């Protein structure tokens, strides 16, 4: 078995640190992914063909890496495994960056939603003379009974309140919310 310098690095080694073998390669597979990798490998070695598989490995420093392995097993004329070749891409930093970006976007979205909900609570508190908890309960109860997301209910209320021309519609909407409170 021959490894490139990059493959040594992915496994946490430098060329000359270890002799690459199939046993060493499999020993680095994440324990939760190993059964699937063994199953796919056995099928590939028996019948040949191509494979592309996302999985995890644990490098020599005990760091988990997320990798994409693509390869080909070629059988000789008698049906015996002749050669295996492939490539492995370390996706760890790419996945980490994408996860961090998605988390930041989710937090930003949650903060924006929370701000709108707080405005809607304030409108209800002022118009109905109720506390913050009761205003939130009105919004969530209406959301649940009307099957509209809480952020949508709050956004609608704030939009009506922001438009002087919608004063009548705002009054009707607040009345609907109040009736939800009375039915509880």
């Amino acid at each position: 078995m021959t490894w490139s310098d990059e493959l040594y690095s992915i496994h946490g080694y430098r060329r000359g640190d270890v002799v690459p073998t199939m046993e060493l390669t499999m020993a680095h597979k994440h324990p939760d992914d190993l059964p699937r990798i063994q199953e796919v490998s056995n099928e590939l070695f028996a019948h040949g063909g191509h494979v592309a598989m996302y999985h995890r490995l644990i490098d020599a420093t005990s760091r988990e890496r997320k990798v994409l392995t693509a390869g080909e097993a070629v059988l000789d004329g008698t049906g015996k495994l002749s050669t295996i070749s492939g490539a492995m891409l370390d996706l760890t930093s790419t996945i980490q960056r994408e996860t961090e970006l998605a988390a930041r976007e989710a937090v930003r979205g949650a903060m924006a939603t929370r701000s709108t909900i707080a405005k809607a609570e304030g409108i209800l508190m002022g118009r109905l003379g109720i506390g913050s908890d009761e205003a939130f309960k009105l919004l969530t109860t209406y959301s649940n009974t009307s099957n509209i997301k809480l952020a949508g209910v709050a956004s609608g209320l704030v939009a009506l309140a922001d438009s002087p021309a919608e004063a009548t519609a705002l009054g009707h909407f607040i009345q609907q919310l109040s009736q939800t409170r009375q039915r509880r």
Side-chain angles (χ1 to χ4, degrees):
M1 179 174 270
T2 306
W3 282 0
S4 65
D5 289 340
E6 292 79 11
L7 199 52
Y8 277 102
S9 179
I10 289 171
H11 285 85
Y13 300 113
R14 287 181 294 159
R15 188 177 294 279
D17 288 347
V18 294
V19 175
T21 63
M22 184 57 74
E23 292 77 24
L24 178 64
T25 302
M26 292 305 228
H28 280 282
K29 302 305 180 191
H30 191 285
D32 293 342
D33 295 344
L34 186 57
R36 182 174 58 93
I37 293 167
Q38 288 173 325
E39 181 181 324
V40 169
S41 296
N42 290 340
E43 183 71 19
L44 189 66
F45 299 162
H47 303 288
H50 299 275
V51 66
M53 179 185 300
Y54 170 80
H55 61 93
R56 297 165 294 170
L57 63 83
I58 308 298
D59 73 10
T61 64
S62 298
R63 180 176 171 216
E64 181 180 301
R65 294 183 179 262
K66 295 168 174 81
V67 298
L68 176 65
T69 301
E72 176 183 25
V74 177
L75 305 181
D76 66 15
T78 65
K80 291 185 180 180
L81 183 62
S82 171
T83 59
I84 302 169
S85 60
M88 182 180 286
L89 300 172
D90 187 352
L91 302 175
T92 307
S93 60
T94 302
I95 291 170
Q96 182 177 358
R97 276 192 308 272
E98 289 176 358
T99 301
E100 288 171 359
L101 178 61
R104 279 195 299 277
E105 289 299 318
V107 168
R108 254 194 296 275
M111 295 304 290
T113 298
R114 183 64 199 140
S115 173
T116 302
I117 293 169
K119 286 178 186 178
E121 287 176 13
I123 293 165
L124 293 175
M125 290 166 60
R127 292 288 295 261
L128 299 174
I130 59 176
S132 175
D133 288 344
E134 183 65 18
F136 185 73
K137 286 178 188 174
L138 281 178
L139 291 168
T140 57
T141 301
Y142 185 83
S143 170
N144 290 336
T145 59
S146 63
N147 201 24
I148 300 171
K149 289 186 178 184
L150 177 60
V153 172
S155 180
L157 181 62
V158 170
L160 289 173
D162 283 344
S163 175
E166 299 292 342
T168 302
L170 176 62
H172 289 309
F173 190 35
I174 291 174
Q175 185 177 14
Q176 282 181 307
L177 290 168
S178 294
Q179 289 170 350
T180 301
R181 173 175 63 169
Q182 293 165 0
R183 282 182 252 166
R184 284 188 295 138

